[in-house]
C-alpha cells in the first residue's frame, strides 16, 4: 500500500521551514535596525526567535520523514528506491540519507539549525550581535531550504524535493501507466563504494565544517552592516577555529576513506571534488591568522574581512562546482545535475554581489593602521603566511575551475576545449610542495617571533636550539636512509630534503614554544600544537607519497617486444591460485575467495559454503570456525553480510624472517560500475603495505569435455597430473538444501586428490529422487578440476566418475608500500587537538568579565 | 617604497606565475588527427581524446586485445574519435573491468610511433550517470 502521508508531512515541513526562514530573516532584519535597537523594542526579536525555532522544528520533521522513508523501505518514494535497499544495515541507511543531493542539502541545513540555536543561546552578554548575525543566518537558510523545495512555477524549477513519489518521478514508465499503485519490492541500493564506515561519519563532519563557515561570515557581515568594524573579530575567532577544525578533519576523513576504499593507491587524488573543500579551508586558516594578528596589534582588519568573506563564498562556489554537473567530464564523483545549476549559480552570484558590495561600500570606514611592520615582528610573518596559504588556495582554484572556463566560454559563444592537466599530481605538487615548505618555515619563525617578541638578539637566541636540533635530526635521517638500509626509502632528492628540514624545524620551533609556555600558561599553546600537527602531516605526506613504492613489479621474465616504450612500468602481477610469486621481500600466494558472514569475525572460505536461491543465505558444508571457536556446524544456515563482495585471501610470507600474514582485499563486480576493488592494508610501524586486485578471472569458466573413469573402491588413478585415491561411497540421509523423502537415495563419494601443497577431499553427490538422478559435482578450484559421481553399478561394485578440467583461477594484483603514512594520521590528530585548545582559549577570551579581573601583568603574558 | 608594497608586488607576481603555469599545464581535448600532428612536430605533451569503441555491424567490439595470462599489463583496443578517425590505443595496465559496456571513452596520453599510449582511461557507462532503469526492479 502506498503511503503518501509521510511524504506529505515531509513536503509540508519543507514549506513550513522555508516560510519560517523568510519570516525569521525579515524579523531579525527589522530587529537589527538602529531605530528598533534604540527603542529597546524586543517584539521583532521575539518574533524572529520564534520563527527560527519553528524553522528548526520543521527541519527536524523533514529529517525524520526522510529517514523514516529510508528506514521503512518505502520504495514508493524515489529517494528510498534509488539510494537504499532491503539488505542495507542501519548504519548504511544513515549514509544513504545523504548519498543524494537533497539529503546532503538537508544535512547542511540541519547543521545550520544547530549552530543557529547555539548562537541564539550562548553569549548572553553579546545580545547586540544576535539580530544582525541571525538575520544573515536565516537568510542563507532560506536559500538552502529552497534547494529542496521542489516547486515548479512555469518553466522554472525551484529546488528538488526528496519526497517525490516514484510514479511522479517516472510518469512515463509503463509500469505506472498500468498500475499507479505499483510498489517496487527492493531499492537499487547504496553505491558500494560508499558502504564504508567513514562514509557514515565523514559527510556530517564535512558539512558541519561547511555550515560553521557561515558563522564567521555572518559576524563579518553584521560588523559591516552595524558599523562595528573591529568588535566582530573577538566573538568570531573561536567559531573560525571550529569551522577550520571540522573542515580539516572532514577532509582528512575523506582522504582516509579514499585510502581504504578506492584503489587509486593513495589518500589524495586532486579530484575536483576534493579540491573544492581544500580551497576554502586554506583561505579560512589564513583568515584565522590575520584575525589573531589583529587581536594583538590592530593590524590586518581589512585582510580579515576579505578572507572571512572569501572563505564562505568559496564554500558556495564549491557547492556550485560539485552539484551543478559542470565537472561531469572532469571528475568521477561529482553529483549529477538535478537541473538546479541555474538556481545554484543565482545564489552564488547573489552572495558574491551582496558581500562584495557591503565590503566596498564600507571599505573606507574600516580602520587601518599605517604603521609599518618590521621584520622582527610576529605579525609580519603571520601576514606572509596567510599570503602563502591564499596563493596555494589560488593555484588549486585556478586549475580546478578549468571546466568552468570552458562552459563560460561556451556560454558567450566561443568554443574552447581546455582540459584539466594530464598529470594533475605533478601540476599541483610543483606549487603545493613549495607552499608546504613555506608554511612550515613561517610557522616556526612566526611562532618564535610571536612569543619572544621584538628584538633581534632574543630572536636569534630562541632560534638556535630548534635550529640545531633540526640539523641534527635531518642529517641523522639522511644518513640512516642513504648509508644504511634501515629506513624504507633513500632520501636523496634535494627538494624532499628541503621539505623535511623545513618541517622538522617547524616541529622543534613550536615544541620550544610549548616548553616555554608550560611554565606560564599551557592553554595558550594551541597554535604551537596545531603547527606541530601540520608539520607532521607534511612529513607524513612527504614520505608516504614521495617514496611510495610499487612492489608488484612484473618479474615474470617475459620478453616484451610490442609497441612499447621501455620505461613503461609493469605494475601488476598475475597470481595463479596457490602458486607463490616473489614480490620484493615477500612470497605471495593467492589462496581463495572468501565471504563476510554476519555475526562472526574474519571471513569464510566460499569453498565450504553452499549458495542458496536467496543470495544472502548460505549453508555450511564444513564446520565454520575462527581461532578454534566453532560458529556454525555442517548444515547450518549462515547469513552473508554482502554476497556481492568477495574477499581474496592473500598470504604474504617474508622470505627472510619466514613470518607470514594474511590480507583480504575486496572486490565486487558491479553491473553498473565494473570492478570495484578496495584494498587491504597491513600496517607496520614504519610503513603500510597496500594491496588491491586490479582484475579478476571471468566468473564463467570454460570446462573441458568430461572424461569418464570406471574405478573400484581403493583404486588410485591419475587425474590431470594429480594422484587421486578413490576411497569409496557412502549413503547419506541429509543433503543441505535438498529435501529427501522416503524412497530417495543420496550417495556421496569420498575421493582424495594430492595437490602440490595439500591434499583435497572431494565429495561429489549422486541423488536419486522421484526416479531421477541428480548430480552434485564438486569443484576443486585450487586444481581447476570438477569431479562428478556419474553412476554406481552395485553388481560389479564399480563406480563411474567424470572429470572436467579448466584453467586454474587467477587474480591480478597491485601492491605498494607507503612509508610512514601513520605520521600523517597522527599529525592530523595533533592538529585537531591544537585547534581545540585554541577554541577553548578563544572562547574564554570572549568573556569580558574574566579579562577585566585579570591583573595587568598577567595580561601582558597572555598577549591577546 | 614601503615593505608592504614590495610584498604586494611579489604576491601579484606569484599569482601571475600560477596562472601561467596553469595555462601551460592545462591539457586539451583533441582528435587523433591533431594528436598525430603534435607527435610529428615533436610535441609529446599529453592530450585528452574522446571516442567510442570500434564495433562491427552487429554491435560487437572488434580489435580488442587483452590476454592477462600472457601479460596482465598489456591492453590494446581501437578507438574511433568524434571525427571517425580510428586509432590503435595501448594501455599498459589491466583492462578496466566494464570496458565493453562503456558508451564513451576518454583517454589521456600521447602518440608514440604509430600507437596512442594511454595512461588514463575514463569510462562513461550508460547507467553510471543517467537515471537508473525501473524495469529491472519492476520485473521482480
Amino acid at each position: 500500500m502506498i503511503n503518501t502521508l509521510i511524504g506529505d508531512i515531509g513536503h509540508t515541513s519543507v514549506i513550513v521551514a522555508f516560510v519560517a526562514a523568510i519570516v525569521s530573516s525579515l524579523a531579525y532584519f527589522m530587529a537589527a535596525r538602529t531605530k528598533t535597537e534604540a527603542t529597546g523594542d524586543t517584539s521583532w526579536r521575539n518574533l524572529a526567535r520564534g520563527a527560527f525555532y519553528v524553522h528548526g522544528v520543521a527541519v527536524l520533521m523533514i529529517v525524520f520523514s526522510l529517514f523514516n522513508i529510508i528506514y521503512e523501505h518505502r520504495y514508493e518514494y524515489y529517494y528510498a528506491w534509488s539510494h537504499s535497499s532491503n539488505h542495507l544495515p542501519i548504519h548504511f541507511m544513515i549514509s544513504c540519507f545523504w548519498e543524494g543531493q537533497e539529503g546532503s542539502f538537508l544535512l547542511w541545513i540541519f547543521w545550520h539549525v544547530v549552530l543557529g540555536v547555539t548562537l541564539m543561546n550562548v553569549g548572553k552578554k553579546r545580545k547586540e550581535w544576535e539580530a544582525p548575525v541571525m538575520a544573515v543566518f536565516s537568510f542563507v537558510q532560506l536559500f538552502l531550504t529552497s534547494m529542496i523545495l521542489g516547486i515548479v512555477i512555469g518553466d522554472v524549477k525551484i529546488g528538488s524535493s526528496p519526497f517525490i513519489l516514484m510514479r511522479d518521478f517516472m510518469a512515463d514508465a509503463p509500469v505506472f501507466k498500468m498500475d499507479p499503485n505499483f510498489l517496487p519490492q527492493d531499492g537499487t541500493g547504496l553505491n558500494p563504494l560508499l558502504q564504508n564506515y567513514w562514509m557514515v561519519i565523514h559527510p556530517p563532519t564535512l558539512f558541519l565544517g561547511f555550515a560553521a563557515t557561515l558563522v564567521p561570515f555572518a559576524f563579518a557581515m553584521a560588523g559591516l552592516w552595524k558599523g562595528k568594524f573591529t568588535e566582530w573579530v573577538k566573538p568570531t575567532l573561536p567559531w573560525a577555529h571550529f569551522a577550520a577544525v571540522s573542515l580539516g578533519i572532514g577532509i582528512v576523513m575523506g582522504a582516509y576513506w579514499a585510502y581504504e576504499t578506492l584503489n587509486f593507491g593513495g589518500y589524495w587524488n586532486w579530484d575536483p571534488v576534493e579540491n573544492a573543500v581544500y580551497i576554502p579551508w586554506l583561505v579560512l586558516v589564513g583568515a584565522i591568522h590575520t584575525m589573531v594578528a589583529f587581536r594583538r596589534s590592530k593590524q590586518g582588519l581589512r585582510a580579515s574581512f576579505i578572507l572571512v568573506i572569501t572563505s564562505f563564498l568559496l564554500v558556495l562556489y564549491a557547492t556550485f562546482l560539485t552539484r551543478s554537473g559542470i565537472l561531469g567530464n572532469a571528475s568521477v564523483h561529482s553529483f549529477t545535475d538535478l537541473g538546479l545549476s541555474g538556481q545554484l549559480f543565482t545564489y552564488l552570484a547573489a552572495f558574491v554581489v551582496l558581500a562584495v558590495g557591503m565590503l566596498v561600500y564600507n571599505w573606507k570606514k574600516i580602520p587601518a593602521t599605517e604603521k609599518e611592520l618590521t621584520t622582527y615582528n610576529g605579525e609580519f610573518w603571520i601576514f606572509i603566511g596567510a599570503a602563502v596559504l591564499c596563493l596555494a588556495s589560488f593555484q588549486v582554484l585556478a586549475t580546478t575551475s578549468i571546466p568552468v572556463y570552458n562552459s563560460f566560454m561556451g556560454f558567450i559563444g566561443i568554443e574552447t576545449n581546455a582540459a584539466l592537466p594530464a598529470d594533475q599530481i605533478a601540476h599541483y605538487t610543483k606549487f603545493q610542495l613549495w607552499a608546504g615548505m613555506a608554511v612550515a618555515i613561517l610557522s616556526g619563525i612566526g611562532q618564535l617571533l610571536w612569543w619572544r617578541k621584538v628584538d633581534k638578539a632574543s630572536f636569534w637566541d630562541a632560534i638556535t636550539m630548534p635550529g640545531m636540533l633540526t640539523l641534527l635530526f635531518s642529517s641523522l635521517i639522511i644518513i640512516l636512509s642513504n648509508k644504511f638500509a634501515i629506513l624504507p626509502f633513500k632520501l636523496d632528492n634535494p627538494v624532499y630534503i628541503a621539505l623535511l628540514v623545513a618541517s622538522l624545524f617547524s616541529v622543534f620551533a613550536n615544541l620550544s614554544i610549548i616548553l616555554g609556555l608550560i611554565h606560564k600558561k599551557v592553554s595558550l599553546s594551541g597554535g604551537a600544537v596545531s603547527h606541530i600537527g601540520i608539520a607532521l602531516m607534511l612529513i607524513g605526506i612527504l614520505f608516504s607519497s614521495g617514496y611510495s613504492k610499487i612492489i608488484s613489479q612484473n618479474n615474470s621474465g617475459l620478453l616484451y617486444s610490442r609497441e612499447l616504450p621501455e620505461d613503461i612500468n609493469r605494475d601488476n602481477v598475475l597470481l595463479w591460485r596457490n602458486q607463490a610469486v616473489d614480490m620484493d621481500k615477500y612470497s605471495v600466494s593467492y589462496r581463495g575467495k572468501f565471504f563476510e558472514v554476519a555475526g562472526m569475525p574474519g571471513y569464510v572460505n566460499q569453498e565450504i559454503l553452499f549458495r542458496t536461491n536467496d543470495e544472502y543465505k548460505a549453508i555450511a558444508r564444513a564446520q565454520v570456525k575462527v581461532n578454534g571457536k566453532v560458529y556454525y556446524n555442517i548444515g547450518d544456515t549462515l547469513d552473508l553480510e554482502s554476497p556481492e563482495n568477495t574477499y581474496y585471501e592473500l598470504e604474504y610470507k617474508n622470505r627472510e624472517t619466514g613470518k607470514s600474514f594474511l590480507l583480504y582485499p575486496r572486490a565486487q563486480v558491479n553491473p553498473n560500475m565494473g570492478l570495484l576493488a578496495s584494498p587491504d592494508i597491513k600496517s607496520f610501524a614504519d610503513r603500510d603495505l597496500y594491496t588491491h586486485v586490479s582484475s579478476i578471472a571471468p566468473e564463467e569458466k570454460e570446462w573441458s569435455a568430461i572424461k569418464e573413469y570406471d574405478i573400484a573402491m581403493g583404486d588410485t588413478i591419475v587425474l590431470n597430473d594429480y594422484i587421486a585415491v578413490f576411497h569409496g561411497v557412502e549413503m547419506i540421509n541429509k543433503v543441505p538444501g535438498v529435501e529427501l523423502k522416503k524412497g530417495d537415495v543420496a550417495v556421496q563419494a569420498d575421493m582424495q586428490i594430492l595437490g602440490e601443497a595439500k591434499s583435497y577431499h572431494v565429495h561429489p553427490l549422486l541423488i536419486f529422487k522421484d526416479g531421477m538422478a541428480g548430480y552434485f559435482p564438486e569443484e576443486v578450484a585450487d586444481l581447476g578440476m570438477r569431479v562428478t559421481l556419474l553412476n554406481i553399478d552395485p553388481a560389479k561394485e564399480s563406480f563411474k566418475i567424470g572429470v572436467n578440467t579448466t584453467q586454474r583461477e587467477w587474480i591480478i594484483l597491485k601492491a605498494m608500500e607507503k612509508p610512514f603514512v601513520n605520521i600523517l594520521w597522527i599529525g592530523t590528530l595533533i592538529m585537531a587537538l591544537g585547534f581545540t585548545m585554541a577554541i577553548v582559549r578563544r572562547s574564554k577570551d570572549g568573556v569580558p568579565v574574566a579579562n577585566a579581573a585579570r591583573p595587568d601583568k598577567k595580561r601582558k603574558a597572555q598577549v591577546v | 617604497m614601503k615593505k608592504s608594497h614590495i610584498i604586494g608586488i611579489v604576491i601579484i607576481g606569484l599569482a601571475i606565475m600560477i596562472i601561467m603555469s596553469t595555462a601551460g599545464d592545462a591539457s586539451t581535448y583533441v582528435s587523433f588527427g591533431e594528436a598525430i600532428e603534435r607527435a610529428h612536430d615533436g610535441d609529446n605533451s599529453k592530450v585528452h581524446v574522446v571516442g567510442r569503441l570500434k564495433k562491427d555491424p552487429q554491435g560487437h567490439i572488434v580489435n580488442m586485445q587483452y590476454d592477462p595470462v600472457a601479460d596482465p599489463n598489456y591492453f590494446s583496443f581501437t578507438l574511433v574519435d568524434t571525427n571517425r578517425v580510428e586509432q590503435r590505443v595501448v594501455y599498459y595496465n589491466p583492462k578496466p573491468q566494464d570496458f565493453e559496456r562503456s558508451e564513451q571513452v576518454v583517454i589521456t596520453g600521447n602518440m608514440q610511433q604509430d600507437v596512442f599510449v594511454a595512461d588514463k582511461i575514463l569510462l562513461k557507462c550508460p547507467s553510471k550517470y543517467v537515471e537508473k532503469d525501473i524495469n529491472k526492479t519492476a520485473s521482480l
Side-chain angles (χ1 to χ4, degrees), chain B residues 27-52:
Chain B
S27 171
T28 41
Y29 292 100
V30 300
S31 60
F32 279 125
E34 202 173 318
I36 293 167
E37 251 169 54
R38 279 173 183 244
H40 268 299
D41 301 342
D43 172 7
N44 53 9
S45 63
K46 300 207 164 133
V47 290
H48 290 61
V49 181
V50 185
R52 283 163 195 279

Side-chain angles (χ1 to χ4, degrees), chain A residues 760-805:
Chain A
Y760 300 85
H761 281 275
V762 193
H763 303 285
L765 290 179
L766 180 59
I767 300 174
F768 296 101
K769 188 172 158 58
D770 309 326
M772 308 266 282
Y775 306 105
F776 286 76
E778 177 150 2
E779 203 179 310
V780 190
D782 282 359
L783 308 177
M785 195 185 289
R786 184 170 67 192
V787 181
T788 319
L789 179 57
L790 289 171
N791 208 352
I792 302 174
D793 188 344
K796 289 193 208 153
E797 284 203 358
S798 103
F799 308 90
K800 192 189 275 293
I801 59 162
V803 176
N804 309 71
T805 54

Side-chain angles (χ1 to χ4, degrees), chain A residues 683-805:
Chain A
S683 282
F684 301 97
D686 62 343
R687 77 195 83 182
D688 272 11
L689 179 69
Y690 179 102
T691 306
H692 69 82
V693 291
S694 351
S695 190
I696 54 171
E699 196 59 44
E700 306 90 45
K701 293 176 192 159
E702 282 180 28
W703 292 99
S704 68
I706 196 160
K707 208 169 165 189
E708 294 178 7
Y709 299 84
D710 286 308
I711 47 175
M713 215 186 284
D715 275 2
T716 299
I717 53 171
V718 175
L719 298 179
N720 203 23
D721 293 347
Y722 298 105
I723 296 193
V725 185
F726 189 74
H727 289 307
V729 296
E730 55 177 349
M731 297 268 275
I732 50 171
N733 45 25
K734 246 177 96 179
V735 179
V738 179
E739 205 182 317
L740 290 180
K741 289 189 296 244
K742 213 171 172 211
D744 295 347
V745 181
V747 207
Q748 171 178 284
D750 180 16
M751 221 172 142
Q752 196 178 6
I753 307 176
L754 303 173
E756 290 105 338
K758 61 174 187 183
S759 72
Y760 300 85
H761 281 275
V762 193
H763 303 285
L765 290 179
L766 180 59
I767 300 174
F768 296 101
K769 188 172 158 58
D770 309 326
M772 308 266 282
Y775 306 105
F776 286 76
E778 177 150 2
E779 203 179 310
V780 190
D782 282 359
L783 308 177
M785 195 185 289
R786 184 170 67 192
V787 181
T788 319
L789 179 57
L790 289 171
N791 208 352
I792 302 174
D793 188 344
K796 289 193 208 153
E797 284 203 358
S798 103
F799 308 90
K800 192 189 275 293
I801 59 162
V803 176
N804 309 71
T805 54

Side-chain angles (χ1 to χ4, degrees), chain A residues 78 82 419 427 430 558 563, chain B residues 25 27 29 70 74 92 131-132:
Chain A
Y78 177 72
S82 66
H427 170 74
K430 119 175 127 188
L558 285 174
E563 295 91 357
Chain B
D25 284 356
S27 171
Y29 292 100
Y74 180 90
Y92 291 102
E131 291 309 334
K132 294 162 191 165

Side-chain angles (χ1 to χ4, degrees), chain B:
Chain B
M1 202 146 71
K2 286 204 298 187
K3 201 178 279 163
S4 54
H5 291 162
I6 300 173
I7 292 166
I9 290 167
V10 170
I11 290 175
I12 291 168
L14 283 170
I16 291 170
M17 263 177 59
I18 288 171
I19 293 172
M20 283 168 57
S21 101
T22 304
D25 284 356
S27 171
T28 41
Y29 292 100
V30 300
S31 60
F32 279 125
E34 202 173 318
I36 293 167
E37 251 169 54
R38 279 173 183 244
H40 268 299
D41 301 342
D43 172 7
N44 53 9
S45 63
K46 300 207 164 133
V47 290
H48 290 61
V49 181
V50 185
R52 283 163 195 279
L53 294 170
K54 189 183 179 193
K55 289 180 181 164
D56 64 15
Q58 285 79 44
H60 300 300
I61 295 160
V62 291
N63 274 342
M64 200 162 65
Q65 188 190 347
Y66 185 59
D67 183 4
V69 176
D71 181 356
N73 291 308
Y74 180 90
F75 170 46
S76 80
F77 56 96
T78 302
L79 197 71
V80 186
D81 72 6
T82 35
N83 298 342
R84 306 238 170 128
V85 176
E86 286 176 21
Q87 174 61 48
R88 195 76 188 146
V89 181
V90 175
Y91 181 56
Y92 291 102
N93 267 303
K95 177 172 79 79
Q97 198 81 13
D98 233 16
F99 195 76
E100 297 85 346
R101 288 168 47 90
S102 64
E103 273 202 337
Q104 208 182 45
V105 183
V106 183
I107 51 174
T108 311
N110 55 9
M111 289 297 296
Q112 295 183 12
Q113 291 161 33
D114 54 350
V115 290
F116 189 93
V117 175
D119 52 11
K120 245 187 282 174
I121 296 184
L122 187 78
L123 298 179
K124 293 222 141 178
C125 295
S127 45
K128 201 154 155 186
Y129 294 97
V130 297
E131 291 309 334
K132 294 162 191 165
D133 184 12
I134 173 121
N135 298 319
K136 216 165 56 193
T137 27
S139 62
L140 283 176

